[in-house]
Amino acid sequence: MANKIKKVGIALQGGGAHGAFTWGVLDRLLEVEEIVADAMCGTSAGAVNAVVCAYGLHIGGPAKAKELMEQTWRKVANSGSAFFKPGVMDKYFGNGDMYNSPGYMWFNSITQFMSPYNFNPFNYNPLRDILNDVVDFEELHLYNKKKLFICATNVKTNRAKIFTNKDITVDSVLASACLPFLFQAVEIDGEYYWDGGYMGNPPIFPLITNSNIHDVVLVKINSININSVPTTARDIADRVNEISFNSSLINEMKLIHYRNELLRNGILKSDDKVNREIYVHTISGYDALSQLSYSSKMNTSWEFLLQLKAKGRETADKWLEKDFKEVGLKSTFDVEEHFFGKF
């Protein structure tokens, strides 16, 4: 690996407990002095990882960021272990599924006919206490070495809301991670928000328009392509969620591709502020996560989260060996091949 410092923007997808894979990726990247993230954006679990990582960097550098991310995920495991606990048969198959978990079966059943305004009238969300224990949001507002963006979806306007360093609060992180079937919409300044994945999972353009970076590293934990057509009601519902949460990302990637083509052909005049070629890189959880069911996104057992973290570190290590040398020179992710198809 070269010793030259390479500045990047890091984009973190959401995906419930699968965000522990992203924890592992960040844990490994924080050990590489040659990588400097000038900006980070995240949605849902990606927003949690981004905020905790940024806060750790602010108060104590990479070592503190690693410590706080582990602390956060351990608290997630402790808070969820009593309810979303894998069933006996789930443990037998050892694939992270929750389909035989009493808690998951109750959740899956009750959300078919009741809203969180009925079954969770006090809007309890354990993530609030976890974040407040780990992050001093007033102190985070002072952090100016890295630009931070998290995304939520405005329920009434159908628009993405991007929160930045100065206005990121515990409520904005909860808004970014607000699953509408589980939690009531989060109110911030008279507006109501659901999970940011519906409008940006994660949003890429805030990284481009608010910084001078040329390279975006996307940590991808949601499958875009699958190998077979879902035929059961459960699998169909899972795939509908994946398609919904990937649509905005696909559109943004296509826009980046088109703009790069215009720049290469001289149709757009290049400049460092707005019109510059963007190199896209991905650290993909496809191999590690694609065989896991949608229910495993609610598996917060510590053993499972550690497995995902280990897979994230391993995948990041492979990316560092294979693709890191190309950062600053060219894209290592072929947008055309993945999103357009080649004849």
Side-chain angles (χ1 to χ4, degrees):
M1 192 182 301
N3 292 322
K4 180 182 177 182
I5 298 295
K6 297 187 178 185
K7 295 182 178 182
V8 301
I10 296 182
L12 309 177
Q13 278 196 323
H18 291 185
F21 174 89
T22 302
W23 164 33
V25 170
L26 293 175
D27 192 74
R28 178 65 184 95
L29 296 184
L30 284 165
E31 298 169 356
V32 182
E33 294 181 356
E34 292 85 357
I35 297 178
V36 173
D38 270 6
M40 283 199 299
C41 68
T43 293
S44 199
V48 174
N49 279 319
V51 167
V52 173
C53 182
Y55 177 67
L57 288 170
H58 173 52
I59 65 172
K64 191 65 176 179
K66 288 162 67 74
E67 175 190 331
L68 292 185
M69 283 193 294
E70 177 163 352
Q71 184 179 332
T72 299
W73 283 99
R74 186 178 288 276
K75 287 177 178 290
V76 168
N78 290 338
S79 68
S81 59
F83 190 72
F84 288 114
K85 190 175 183 179
V88 175
M89 291 303 295
D90 295 326
K91 291 181 179 179
Y92 175 79
F93 289 109
N95 56 5
D97 283 355
M98 296 283 286
Y99 288 138
N100 296 291
S101 160
Y104 180 80
M105 287 191 288
W106 175 86
F107 164 78
N108 202 40
S109 174
I110 201 169
T111 54
Q112 299 298 315
F113 60 90
M114 290 183 70
S115 88
Y117 294 86
N118 302 125
F119 69 78
N120 188 9
F122 298 105
N123 202 27
Y124 172 69
N125 188 337
L127 188 57
R128 179 181 294 278
D129 291 336
I130 293 171
L131 289 168
N132 280 328
D133 285 345
V134 175
V135 178
D136 180 341
F137 285 91
E138 291 298 322
E139 182 63 32
L140 179 65
H141 295 164
L142 303 177
Y143 186 45
N144 57 12
K145 292 183 179 179
K146 185 188 305 299
K147 293 182 178 179
L148 188 59
F149 310 96
I150 64 175
C151 179
T153 300
N154 189 306
V155 178
K156 294 194 290 185
T157 67
N158 194 38
R159 294 179 181 175
K161 169 66 177 179
I162 306 298
F163 296 94
T164 60
N165 297 53
K166 65 178 192 267
D167 55 13
I168 290 176
T169 64
V170 67
D171 281 331
S172 55
V173 183
L174 293 177
S176 182
C178 178
L179 293 173
F181 300 108
L182 187 57
F183 300 109
Q184 298 175 25
V186 178
E187 181 184 0
I188 302 174
D189 296 331
E191 297 291 343
Y192 293 84
Y193 299 97
W194 281 340
D195 195 295
Y198 296 108
M199 297 303 297
N201 192 23
I204 304 297
F205 271 89
L207 297 178
I208 299 171
T209 58
N210 293 281
S211 74
N212 294 322
I213 60 161
H214 283 267
D215 294 82
V216 171
V217 179
L218 169 66
V219 182
K220 190 158 67 72
I221 61 176
N222 283 294
S223 295
I224 291 177
N225 301 312
I226 59 175
N227 296 319
S228 60
V229 176
T231 56
T232 68
R234 182 180 287 168
D235 289 342
I236 290 170
D238 292 351
R239 186 54 180 164
V240 167
N241 271 289
E242 285 180 338
I243 291 171
S244 174
F245 273 57
N246 278 318
S247 60
S248 58
L249 173 66
I250 292 173
N251 288 334
E252 280 200 276
M253 285 295 188
K254 287 181 177 180
L255 286 173
I256 291 172
H257 173 78
Y258 284 133
R259 194 171 69 164
N260 283 346
E261 287 294 304
L262 293 175
L263 287 166
R264 292 179 192 133
N265 292 307
I267 299 172
L268 278 181
K269 184 178 179 182
S270 178
D271 64 71
D272 287 335
K273 290 186 177 180
V274 179
N275 292 326
R276 63 191 185 281
E277 186 168 357
I278 299 298
Y279 305 130
V280 179
H281 315 273
T282 63
I283 301 177
S284 174
Y286 181 78
D287 290 338
L289 305 175
S290 63
Q291 301 306 311
L292 298 178
S293 70
Y294 183 80
S295 72
S296 67
K297 292 183 178 183
M298 304 190 87
N299 184 348
T300 59
S301 67
W302 184 235
E303 180 183 11
F304 181 62
L305 297 180
L306 285 180
Q307 290 173 1
L308 295 184
K309 178 196 176 186
K311 290 178 179 178
R313 283 187 57 89
E314 179 184 351
T315 304
D317 211 40
K318 291 178 180 177
W319 179 81
L320 288 167
E321 292 178 8
K322 179 184 176 185
D323 293 333
F324 179 70
K325 61 183 178 294
E326 306 295 350
V327 172
L329 301 175
K330 66 177 184 179
S331 292
T332 56
F333 177 74
D334 193 330
V335 174
E336 186 176 14
E337 177 181 3
H338 283 81
F339 296 144
F340 295 84
K342 288 187 175 180
F343 295 97

